[in-house]
Each structure stands twice: as structure tokens, then as C-alpha cells.
Amino acid sequence: MATSFTFTISDPEGMHARPAGKVVEKAQSYKSAVSLTDGDKTVDAKRIFGVMGLGAKCGDTITVDIEGEDETAAASELEAFLKENL
Amino acid sequence: MRKIQGTGVSAGVAIGTIHVLDSGDGSVERRVVDDSAAEVQRFRAARDTAIDQLGKLRDKTAAELGEGKAELFDAHRLMLKDPDYVESVEGMITTSKVNAEYAVNGTAEQFAAMFAAMDDSYMQARAADVRDVSKRVIKILEGCDTATQDPDGQHIIAAVDLTPSETVQLDRSKVLGFVTANGSANSHTAILARTMGLPAVIGLGKDFDAEDDGKTAIVDGSAGLVLVDPDEENLKSYQDKKKSYEDHLRLLQELKGKPTQTKEGQTVRLYANIGRPSDVTSALANDAEGIGLYRSEFLYLESEDFPTEEAQFEAYKEVAQRMGDRLVVIRTLDIGADKQVGYFNLKHEDNPALGYRAIRICLTQPEIFKVQLRALLRASAFGNLAIMLPMITSVQEVRDAKKIIDEVKADLRAKNIAFNDGVNVGIMVETPASVVMAPELAKEVDFFSIGTNDLTQYTLACDRQNPNLSRFADPHSPAVLRMIKMAVDAAHEAGIWCGICGELGADLSLTETFLDFGLDELSVSPTSVLPLREAIRER
């Protein structure tokens, strides 16, 4: 059973290289699988080209799905992290 | 003399000899390899070396330019570790039996093409990042040093393009500035040039060849102009320009941290106007003492639908947190007139400046206003925020707006959501009515901020958008100045502060007048902060 939440990007430059890098590093720190969905595109949050390839812009609402043994902790930490950094 | 026009991405003037960087023609030889497994191993070793180099570059950048700029190299390292990237390179080596250099270059072009095809200029510029990291791996594979060639003496770098890592590695004691044939204003290279204070012109569209090496050039980073082999007249005039620019810059930097105070001891608070949370960086770099005008309408103008409470909250919170104890004045929604937003479905008006806009929309559509106020009040728990109401013409409008603010506060209180109950509420004085009613209005609010652009428009009955009226729309008109004086006097009579957040605040020819009026605060664009402090301190 996956855990999901959504957040809206408020960084005016969208998911560009630096924030994407930070998101990937954070996602990689969990054992769970983490994916990001923007519109009809879903990518692995642990791969930077995937995350940057989303082309997510300011104002886009991203759905984050987390599945795995540490998903509950990962969800709350990731949500706070994304809001803080994007 | 050759004059080449490009895009200036970093201000200032550089004069010196050109050093053409031999960045090669970018072609990578394709070779067939027999032992694919050995070639994969060769790629992995080069990739590890590149990751290691990027780590060192990260530390150097963090020490010299700050942690924020260094994070770019974290992203670059992740690119080289990305399984999609690695699988693509190793797949090409194995299936096509090609050399590692060729596979890395092919993969880089594939990923770069993905970014180049995106419709957003920031993302398009990321194609350069992929090529940058890949070029590093290729150079290691080829046994070349990745550091840029460095001639003796000071010089101007000319290149087809510069990658961010090449830019960061430029020896700042020797490099005076740089010019490139390609590049975009949104690239990390351009951002780094500004941070490093190197005059730079990009997108010249022309490659410099070996023959240009050693020639004298002038780089005017403000005008985006490059002069190769300048004549005596240009050389002399640019030497003067360079000197006065540098003198002034040095002088202005010395004013950071110093009080905005006249020789007689009169102090004025010097704030910055911003449109986006990211503008805080510039406000802080220019030593603004607060934010006197955060134009919240950008959140609406840049959205395709009403921005959510959460999106607004995050934006306001970020500004509040980054400014710490310093005051941040957030102007509530100022849509209408020259700022149209499709999803508001505003009807066409013959006189939009005198029409349905700003506070008038907020008071008649409180459901929109309340979303913004909730976001703003929630963010008030994270810093020193104040609310500013635009386009006020009557006491009743202020009372109506405050009633809505109180309703939102009551709701937040009932839900135990933190906010600053004592958040200050002020108004923009930008209509003749608000000036005339200033004594009464001052009893209702905590501060006044004069919007001189609209105040000039309404006082002189001159549409701001009509170019035929420029000779009649004089913001220095005694009528406008007298209006400002009346507002300041009324504010002080009631014991509240009064500032200016319109463009007139940065007009150095009026600084003395404003000091005489007793204005408490001037809010200007971040880059006008230090020149204004200089003018005030010299008085």
C-alpha cells in the first residue's frame, strides 16, 4: 500500500538542476521506491535525468508516491523537504 | 576595429588581450573496439575520476561563491551516477562495439536533445549541463587536462561556449571577462559570471579563431558589446568608463552595513521592492533593510489558474524566513488595469485604470481575497510581515478590508493555526482621494506607502500607458510633490510611518526633497538601494 501526497512547485524556475539534485539525493536516502507524477508523466525520484525530464514548472502540482518499508517516515520528511526547497 | 553585438549577461567593462580557448571542434572520434568489457571499465574509471573532480570543484565553489552555487555540482555528480545515463553509455559500448568517448558523447547529445525540446527556457539551458559533465568524462578518457588552458598575464577569454565548471575554474586573478559565441542568459555560466563579477557577453554568434588570440578587446557587459582591435578613441572612452564604474562599485560596496543616515543624523529606512521570492537574494546582496513592497500579483500573473493558498503560503513564508527580523510588506492582489489575468475573466473596460481593479476586486470577491489573506497570515508566523492594501480611496474600504482580515484571523484562531495577531496593516496612498482623506485614513492603519506611479497618473489625469502624454505626466510636478508632503504630514500627525514604494523613491534628484518632507522609508529596486544610501549619506 503506497503513501501519496501532492505539493505545488513555488520556485519560479521550476524543477531545474539544483533543486532536482537535492530532491534526488533526499529520495535516495530512503529504502522505499519514490516516484513523481506531473500530469501524465511519472518518473523515478532517485534518477536526476528523470526528475529534470519531468520539466515541472512553477505552479505545477506534483504527486509523490512512496512504497516500501520506510514509506511513512519518508512521506512526512519528503513533504516537508519539497515544500522547503521547491 | 570590429564591433560585435551579443547579449550582456554580467555588467562591467573589461579591456585586455583575447585568449581564444581551444575547446576543440567538439567532434569525437568513433572507433570500433574488440573488448567491450574493457571499454566499459575504462568508462567507469573515467566517470569515477570525473565525479571526484566535481566533488573538489564543489568544495572550491562553496568556499568562493557560496553553498547555493556549489549545489549545481552536486546535481552534476548525480547526472554521472544516474542509472539511465550509465546504462545508455554502457549499452552503446556493448551493443555497438564503440569506444567509450563516442558512447559518452552520443548519450550526452541524446539527453541534451530531450532538454532542448522542452518549452521552458530554464530547462532548455540544462542541455548545457549534460554536455558539461559529459565533456569532462571525454577529456579524462582522452587523457586531456580538464582545466582551461591558462596563459600568463591578465586576459579576456573567448570561447565557443563555456560550461559552468569551466567558468568556475577560471583563474579570477587573471581572467578579466569572457565572451562566447553561443550560450543563453539563463545558463549557469551566465549566473556564475554575475556572481564572480566578471563582465561577460554571450551569444555573439561568431566563433573567435586563433588569429584573434593576443588582439586587444573591450567587453562591455552592460551593453552586450565586444570591440576587437578598438581604435584610440574607443579605448580611451572605455578606459574612463571602466574606471568610473569600478570606482563607483567599490564605493557602493563600502556602504554595506552602514546606516542610511544624513550627515545631520536624519535616518531613512531603505527597503527593496520585489516581485518573486527569488528576488530576496538580490535584496540581501544589496543590503536592503527590509522589503517595502512585495508585489504579490506576480503569483497570479504567472499562474494559469488562481494560485492555491499553499502555493502563496510557501512564497510568503520563504520571503519572511529569508528576511529574518526585517520587515516584509506584502501588497495584496493588485490585478486589473495594465495587469490582466485571463482566469479572472475581467470584462473589457474603456478606462481600466479607473476601473475594476486591486482592492475593488478583493472587496467584491472576498472568496479570492480570503485565500490570499489566509496564506499571508499563516506566513506571518515565520517572520515580520505586514499587509498593504492597494488603491484605497475611502475609509470605508479600509474598514471593509479589515473586517475580512478579522474574519480570516478568527477562522485561523478557531483551527489553532499559528499567525501573528498583531500583523500591521497599511495602505498604499496612490489616489488623490487617499491623500485628501489621509488624516482619517491614518487613524485606521499602521503605515502609509505612497505609490508614486499611480499617484502621478491620477493627480495629473494622465494615463500611464499613453505615450502621447509623457510631456504632461511629470512626476516632479509640484502637484504630485505637494500630495506626497500632505500624506507624510497626515501620517506623522497620527503617529504612523510613511514611505514611498513607487519609482520616484529611487529618483536621486528628489532625495533631498524627500528628506525634507521627513519620509521614514524609501523602497526601491534592489540595485538602487546602495546608490540611494550613498546619496542620503552625502547629504
Short mmCIF file of all heavy atoms in Angstrom, two decimals, chain B residues 156-209:
data_model
loop_
_atom_site.label_atom_id
_atom_site.label_comp_id
_atom_site.label_asym_id
_atom_site.label_seq_id
_atom_site.Cartn_x
_atom_site.Cartn_y
_atom_site.Cartn_z
N ILE B 156 41.22 38.25 -21.61
CA ILE B 156 39.78 38.03 -21.80
C ILE B 156 39.61 36.69 -22.49
O ILE B 156 40.28 36.42 -23.50
CB ILE B 156 39.17 39.16 -22.67
CG1 ILE B 156 39.17 40.48 -21.89
CG2 ILE B 156 37.76 38.80 -23.14
CD1 ILE B 156 38.98 41.70 -22.76
N ILE B 157 38.78 35.84 -21.94
CA ILE B 157 38.58 34.52 -22.53
C ILE B 157 37.55 34.61 -23.66
O ILE B 157 36.48 35.20 -23.48
CB ILE B 157 38.06 33.53 -21.45
CG1 ILE B 157 39.11 33.30 -20.36
CG2 ILE B 157 37.59 32.22 -22.08
CD1 ILE B 157 40.21 32.33 -20.71
N ALA B 158 37.87 34.03 -24.80
CA ALA B 158 36.91 33.91 -25.90
C ALA B 158 36.74 32.42 -26.18
O ALA B 158 37.72 31.70 -26.33
CB ALA B 158 37.42 34.63 -27.13
N ALA B 159 35.50 31.95 -26.23
CA ALA B 159 35.26 30.53 -26.44
C ALA B 159 33.98 30.33 -27.23
O ALA B 159 33.16 31.25 -27.32
CB ALA B 159 35.15 29.80 -25.10
N VAL B 160 33.83 29.16 -27.81
CA VAL B 160 32.57 28.84 -28.49
C VAL B 160 31.47 28.87 -27.42
O VAL B 160 30.43 29.49 -27.58
CB VAL B 160 32.65 27.45 -29.16
CG1 VAL B 160 31.31 27.09 -29.79
CG2 VAL B 160 33.75 27.43 -30.19
N ASP B 161 31.75 28.21 -26.33
CA ASP B 161 30.84 28.23 -25.19
C ASP B 161 31.69 27.90 -23.96
O ASP B 161 32.78 27.34 -24.08
CB ASP B 161 29.73 27.19 -25.36
CG ASP B 161 28.47 27.61 -24.63
OD1 ASP B 161 28.55 28.54 -23.79
OD2 ASP B 161 27.41 27.03 -24.89
N LEU B 162 31.22 28.25 -22.80
CA LEU B 162 31.90 27.88 -21.57
C LEU B 162 30.92 27.08 -20.74
O LEU B 162 29.77 27.48 -20.59
CB LEU B 162 32.32 29.12 -20.78
CG LEU B 162 33.61 29.84 -21.16
CD1 LEU B 162 33.80 31.04 -20.26
CD2 LEU B 162 34.81 28.92 -21.04
N THR B 163 31.38 25.98 -20.20
CA THR B 163 30.50 25.21 -19.34
C THR B 163 30.57 25.83 -17.94
O THR B 163 31.54 26.55 -17.63
CB THR B 163 30.95 23.74 -19.27
OG1 THR B 163 32.24 23.73 -18.66
CG2 THR B 163 31.03 23.13 -20.65
N PRO B 164 29.57 25.55 -17.10
CA PRO B 164 29.64 26.09 -15.73
C PRO B 164 30.93 25.71 -15.02
O PRO B 164 31.54 26.52 -14.32
CB PRO B 164 28.43 25.48 -15.05
CG PRO B 164 27.48 25.18 -16.15
CD PRO B 164 28.32 24.83 -17.34
N SER B 165 31.37 24.45 -15.22
CA SER B 165 32.56 24.04 -14.48
C SER B 165 33.81 24.74 -15.02
O SER B 165 34.71 25.09 -14.27
CB SER B 165 32.74 22.52 -14.48
OG SER B 165 32.88 22.04 -15.77
N GLU B 166 33.82 25.01 -16.32
CA GLU B 166 34.96 25.77 -16.87
C GLU B 166 34.94 27.20 -16.32
O GLU B 166 35.98 27.78 -16.01
CB GLU B 166 34.88 25.80 -18.40
CG GLU B 166 35.32 24.48 -19.05
CD GLU B 166 35.02 24.44 -20.54
OE1 GLU B 166 34.13 25.19 -21.00
OE2 GLU B 166 35.66 23.63 -21.23
N THR B 167 33.75 27.76 -16.22
CA THR B 167 33.62 29.13 -15.72
C THR B 167 34.15 29.25 -14.29
O THR B 167 34.90 30.16 -13.96
CB THR B 167 32.14 29.58 -15.77
OG1 THR B 167 31.62 29.30 -17.06
CG2 THR B 167 31.99 31.06 -15.49
N VAL B 168 33.74 28.29 -13.48
CA VAL B 168 34.14 28.32 -12.08
C VAL B 168 35.65 28.12 -11.93
O VAL B 168 36.28 28.63 -11.01
CB VAL B 168 33.33 27.25 -11.30
CG1 VAL B 168 34.12 26.60 -10.22
CG2 VAL B 168 32.08 27.88 -10.74
N GLN B 169 36.23 27.39 -12.89
CA GLN B 169 37.68 27.13 -12.80
C GLN B 169 38.54 28.27 -13.34
O GLN B 169 39.76 28.22 -13.23
CB GLN B 169 38.01 25.84 -13.57
CG GLN B 169 37.56 24.60 -12.82
CD GLN B 169 37.87 23.36 -13.61
OE1 GLN B 169 38.89 22.72 -13.44
NE2 GLN B 169 36.98 23.00 -14.50
N LEU B 170 37.89 29.30 -13.95
CA LEU B 170 38.70 30.41 -14.48
C LEU B 170 39.46 31.06 -13.33
O LEU B 170 38.91 31.26 -12.25
CB LEU B 170 37.78 31.45 -15.14
CG LEU B 170 37.01 30.99 -16.38
CD1 LEU B 170 36.04 32.08 -16.84
CD2 LEU B 170 37.96 30.63 -17.51
N ASP B 171 40.70 31.37 -13.58
CA ASP B 171 41.54 31.99 -12.55
C ASP B 171 41.16 33.46 -12.44
O ASP B 171 41.46 34.26 -13.33
CB ASP B 171 43.02 31.82 -12.95
CG ASP B 171 43.96 32.39 -11.89
OD1 ASP B 171 43.47 33.14 -11.01
OD2 ASP B 171 45.16 32.10 -11.96
N ARG B 172 40.50 33.80 -11.35
CA ARG B 172 39.96 35.15 -11.24
C ARG B 172 41.03 36.23 -11.11
O ARG B 172 40.76 37.40 -11.30
CB ARG B 172 38.97 35.23 -10.07
CG ARG B 172 37.71 34.45 -10.36
CD ARG B 172 36.93 34.16 -9.13
NE ARG B 172 36.09 35.28 -8.75
CZ ARG B 172 35.38 35.32 -7.65
NH1 ARG B 172 35.40 34.29 -6.83
NH2 ARG B 172 34.64 36.35 -7.36
N SER B 173 42.24 35.81 -10.78
CA SER B 173 43.31 36.81 -10.69
C SER B 173 43.82 37.15 -12.09
O SER B 173 44.49 38.15 -12.29
CB SER B 173 44.46 36.29 -9.82
OG SER B 173 45.08 35.20 -10.47
N LYS B 174 43.48 36.31 -13.07
CA LYS B 174 43.98 36.54 -14.44
C LYS B 174 42.87 36.87 -15.44
O LYS B 174 43.12 37.58 -16.40
CB LYS B 174 44.73 35.29 -14.92
CG LYS B 174 46.06 35.06 -14.24
CD LYS B 174 46.74 33.87 -14.86
CE LYS B 174 48.09 33.58 -14.23
NZ LYS B 174 48.65 32.34 -14.78
N VAL B 175 41.69 36.30 -15.23
CA VAL B 175 40.64 36.49 -16.22
C VAL B 175 39.88 37.79 -15.95
O VAL B 175 39.38 38.03 -14.86
CB VAL B 175 39.67 35.29 -16.23
CG1 VAL B 175 38.51 35.54 -17.19
CG2 VAL B 175 40.42 34.03 -16.65
N LEU B 176 39.83 38.65 -16.98
CA LEU B 176 39.18 39.96 -16.83
C LEU B 176 37.70 39.90 -17.20
O LEU B 176 36.90 40.71 -16.74
CB LEU B 176 39.87 40.97 -17.74
CG LEU B 176 41.36 41.16 -17.51
CD1 LEU B 176 41.99 41.88 -18.69
CD2 LEU B 176 41.61 41.93 -16.22
N GLY B 177 37.37 38.95 -18.06
CA GLY B 177 35.99 38.82 -18.52
C GLY B 177 35.95 37.74 -19.58
O GLY B 177 36.99 37.17 -19.91
N PHE B 178 34.74 37.43 -20.11
CA PHE B 178 34.72 36.45 -21.19
C PHE B 178 33.61 36.72 -22.19
O PHE B 178 32.64 37.41 -21.90
CB PHE B 178 34.66 35.01 -20.65
CG PHE B 178 33.40 34.64 -19.94
CD1 PHE B 178 32.26 34.28 -20.65
CD2 PHE B 178 33.35 34.61 -18.56
CE1 PHE B 178 31.11 33.91 -20.00
CE2 PHE B 178 32.20 34.24 -17.89
CZ PHE B 178 31.07 33.89 -18.62
N VAL B 179 33.85 36.20 -23.40
CA VAL B 179 32.85 36.30 -24.47
C VAL B 179 32.68 34.91 -25.08
O VAL B 179 33.64 34.15 -25.17
CB VAL B 179 33.29 37.30 -25.56
CG1 VAL B 179 33.46 38.68 -24.97
CG2 VAL B 179 34.58 36.88 -26.25
N THR B 180 31.44 34.58 -25.44
CA THR B 180 31.21 33.28 -26.08
C THR B 180 30.32 33.45 -27.31
O THR B 180 29.49 34.36 -27.37
CB THR B 180 30.54 32.26 -25.13
OG1 THR B 180 29.26 32.77 -24.75
CG2 THR B 180 31.36 32.01 -23.89
N ALA B 181 30.52 32.55 -28.26
CA ALA B 181 29.72 32.59 -29.49
C ALA B 181 28.31 32.10 -29.21
O ALA B 181 27.33 32.64 -29.72
CB ALA B 181 30.38 31.72 -30.56
N ASN B 182 28.20 31.09 -28.34
CA ASN B 182 26.88 30.53 -28.02
C ASN B 182 26.47 30.92 -26.60
O ASN B 182 27.05 31.82 -26.02
CB ASN B 182 26.91 29.00 -28.15
CG ASN B 182 27.36 28.57 -29.53
OD1 ASN B 182 27.10 29.26 -30.51
ND2 ASN B 182 28.03 27.43 -29.61
N GLY B 183 25.52 30.16 -26.05
CA GLY B 183 25.13 30.39 -24.65
C GLY B 183 23.81 31.10 -24.53
O GLY B 183 23.31 31.71 -25.47
N SER B 184 23.21 30.99 -23.33
CA SER B 184 21.93 31.66 -23.09
C SER B 184 21.99 32.42 -21.77
O SER B 184 22.77 32.09 -20.88
CB SER B 184 20.79 30.65 -23.05
OG SER B 184 20.72 30.04 -21.78
N ALA B 185 21.15 33.44 -21.67
CA ALA B 185 21.15 34.28 -20.47
C ALA B 185 20.73 33.51 -19.23
O ALA B 185 21.05 33.90 -18.11
CB ALA B 185 20.23 35.48 -20.69
N ASN B 186 20.01 32.41 -19.41
CA ASN B 186 19.56 31.61 -18.26
C ASN B 186 20.54 30.51 -17.88
O ASN B 186 20.26 29.72 -16.99
CB ASN B 186 18.21 30.95 -18.58
CG ASN B 186 17.08 31.93 -18.46
OD1 ASN B 186 17.18 32.91 -17.73
ND2 ASN B 186 16.00 31.68 -19.18
N SER B 187 21.67 30.43 -18.57
CA SER B 187 22.60 29.34 -18.30
C SER B 187 23.29 29.56 -16.95
O SER B 187 23.38 30.69 -16.46
CB SER B 187 23.66 29.27 -19.40
OG SER B 187 24.47 30.41 -19.33
N HIS B 188 23.79 28.48 -16.39
CA HIS B 188 24.53 28.60 -15.14
C HIS B 188 25.81 29.40 -15.35
O HIS B 188 26.29 30.07 -14.45
CB HIS B 188 24.86 27.21 -14.59
CG HIS B 188 23.68 26.58 -13.91
ND1 HIS B 188 23.15 25.38 -14.31
CD2 HIS B 188 22.91 27.01 -12.89
CE1 HIS B 188 22.11 25.09 -13.56
NE2 HIS B 188 21.94 26.06 -12.69
N THR B 189 26.33 29.33 -16.57
CA THR B 189 27.54 30.10 -16.88
C THR B 189 27.27 31.59 -16.68
O THR B 189 28.08 32.30 -16.07
CB THR B 189 27.97 29.81 -18.33
OG1 THR B 189 28.19 28.40 -18.44
CG2 THR B 189 29.20 30.57 -18.71
N ALA B 190 26.13 32.06 -17.19
CA ALA B 190 25.78 33.48 -17.04
C ALA B 190 25.58 33.84 -15.57
O ALA B 190 26.05 34.88 -15.09
CB ALA B 190 24.50 33.77 -17.83
N ILE B 191 24.92 32.96 -14.84
CA ILE B 191 24.66 33.21 -13.41
C ILE B 191 25.99 33.29 -12.65
O ILE B 191 26.21 34.17 -11.83
CB ILE B 191 23.75 32.10 -12.81
CG1 ILE B 191 22.37 32.14 -13.48
CG2 ILE B 191 23.63 32.23 -11.30
CD1 ILE B 191 21.52 30.91 -13.25
N LEU B 192 26.89 32.33 -12.99
CA LEU B 192 28.19 32.31 -12.30
C LEU B 192 29.00 33.56 -12.63
O LEU B 192 29.69 34.11 -11.78
CB LEU B 192 28.97 31.05 -12.70
CG LEU B 192 28.42 29.74 -12.10
CD1 LEU B 192 29.08 28.54 -12.77
CD2 LEU B 192 28.66 29.69 -10.59
N ALA B 193 28.93 34.03 -13.89
CA ALA B 193 29.67 35.23 -14.29
C ALA B 193 29.25 36.42 -13.43
O ALA B 193 30.09 37.19 -12.95
CB ALA B 193 29.43 35.52 -15.76
N ARG B 194 27.93 36.55 -13.22
CA ARG B 194 27.43 37.66 -12.40
C ARG B 194 27.92 37.53 -10.96
O ARG B 194 28.33 38.50 -10.34
CB ARG B 194 25.89 37.71 -12.45
CG ARG B 194 25.36 38.18 -13.79
CD ARG B 194 23.88 38.49 -13.71
NE ARG B 194 23.04 37.31 -13.68
CZ ARG B 194 22.62 36.67 -14.77
NH1 ARG B 194 22.96 37.09 -15.96
NH2 ARG B 194 21.84 35.61 -14.66
N THR B 195 27.86 36.29 -10.44
CA THR B 195 28.31 36.08 -9.06
C THR B 195 29.79 36.39 -8.92
O THR B 195 30.22 36.93 -7.91
CB THR B 195 28.05 34.61 -8.64
OG1 THR B 195 26.72 34.28 -8.99
CG2 THR B 195 28.25 34.42 -7.15
N MET B 196 30.56 36.03 -9.95
CA MET B 196 32.01 36.24 -9.88
C MET B 196 32.38 37.69 -10.21
O MET B 196 33.54 38.08 -10.07
CB MET B 196 32.73 35.29 -10.85
CG MET B 196 32.61 33.82 -10.46
SD MET B 196 33.00 32.71 -11.84
CE MET B 196 34.78 32.71 -11.78
N GLY B 197 31.41 38.46 -10.69
CA GLY B 197 31.67 39.85 -11.03
C GLY B 197 32.54 39.99 -12.28
O GLY B 197 33.29 40.96 -12.40
N LEU B 198 32.44 39.01 -13.19
CA LEU B 198 33.22 39.08 -14.43
C LEU B 198 32.35 39.64 -15.55
O LEU B 198 31.31 39.08 -15.86
CB LEU B 198 33.65 37.66 -14.86
CG LEU B 198 34.79 37.00 -14.12
CD1 LEU B 198 35.00 35.59 -14.68
CD2 LEU B 198 36.08 37.80 -14.26
N PRO B 199 32.76 40.75 -16.19
CA PRO B 199 31.99 41.25 -17.34
C PRO B 199 31.90 40.15 -18.40
O PRO B 199 32.92 39.51 -18.69
CB PRO B 199 32.80 42.44 -17.85
CG PRO B 199 33.66 42.84 -16.69
CD PRO B 199 33.94 41.59 -15.93
N ALA B 200 30.72 39.91 -18.94
CA ALA B 200 30.57 38.82 -19.91
C ALA B 200 29.52 39.14 -20.96
O ALA B 200 28.49 39.72 -20.66
CB ALA B 200 30.20 37.52 -19.18
N VAL B 201 29.85 38.77 -22.19
CA VAL B 201 28.90 38.89 -23.31
C VAL B 201 28.82 37.52 -23.98
O VAL B 201 29.85 36.93 -24.29
CB VAL B 201 29.37 39.95 -24.33
CG1 VAL B 201 28.38 40.03 -25.50
CG2 VAL B 201 29.50 41.32 -23.67
N ILE B 202 27.60 37.04 -24.15
CA ILE B 202 27.44 35.72 -24.76
C ILE B 202 26.61 35.83 -26.03
O ILE B 202 26.09 36.91 -26.34
CB ILE B 202 26.77 34.73 -23.78
CG1 ILE B 202 25.36 35.24 -23.43
CG2 ILE B 202 27.59 34.53 -22.54
CD1 ILE B 202 24.46 34.16 -22.90
N GLY B 203 26.46 34.71 -26.72
CA GLY B 203 25.60 34.67 -27.90
C GLY B 203 26.04 35.61 -29.00
O GLY B 203 25.22 36.21 -29.69
N LEU B 204 27.37 35.75 -29.20
CA LEU B 204 27.87 36.63 -30.25
C LEU B 204 27.61 36.03 -31.63
O LEU B 204 27.66 36.72 -32.64
CB LEU B 204 29.38 36.87 -30.07
CG LEU B 204 29.73 37.71 -28.84
CD1 LEU B 204 31.22 37.61 -28.55
CD2 LEU B 204 29.36 39.17 -29.06
N GLY B 205 27.34 34.73 -31.64
CA GLY B 205 27.02 34.06 -32.90
C GLY B 205 28.23 33.89 -33.80
O GLY B 205 28.11 33.46 -34.94
N LYS B 206 29.37 34.25 -33.31
CA LYS B 206 30.57 34.15 -34.14
C LYS B 206 31.70 33.53 -33.32
O LYS B 206 31.92 33.91 -32.18
CB LYS B 206 30.99 35.55 -34.59
CG LYS B 206 32.11 35.54 -35.58
CD LYS B 206 32.92 36.81 -35.55
CE LYS B 206 34.21 36.64 -36.34
NZ LYS B 206 35.12 35.63 -35.81
N ASP B 207 32.37 32.59 -33.92
CA ASP B 207 33.50 31.98 -33.22
C ASP B 207 34.73 32.86 -33.37
O ASP B 207 34.94 33.47 -34.40
CB ASP B 207 33.82 30.61 -33.84
CG ASP B 207 32.67 29.65 -33.67
OD1 ASP B 207 31.71 30.02 -32.96
OD2 ASP B 207 32.72 28.56 -34.24
N PHE B 208 35.53 32.88 -32.34
CA PHE B 208 36.82 33.57 -32.43
C PHE B 208 37.85 32.54 -32.87
O PHE B 208 37.86 31.43 -32.38
CB PHE B 208 37.20 34.16 -31.07
CG PHE B 208 36.41 35.39 -30.73
CD1 PHE B 208 35.11 35.30 -30.28
CD2 PHE B 208 36.97 36.64 -30.89
CE1 PHE B 208 34.37 36.43 -30.00
CE2 PHE B 208 36.25 37.78 -30.62
CZ PHE B 208 34.94 37.67 -30.16
N ASP B 209 38.68 32.89 -33.81
CA ASP B 209 39.67 31.91 -34.23
C ASP B 209 41.06 32.26 -33.69
O ASP B 209 41.25 33.29 -33.03
CB ASP B 209 39.68 31.74 -35.76
CG ASP B 209 39.78 33.08 -36.46
OD1 ASP B 209 40.54 33.93 -35.97
OD2 ASP B 209 39.08 33.27 -37.47
#
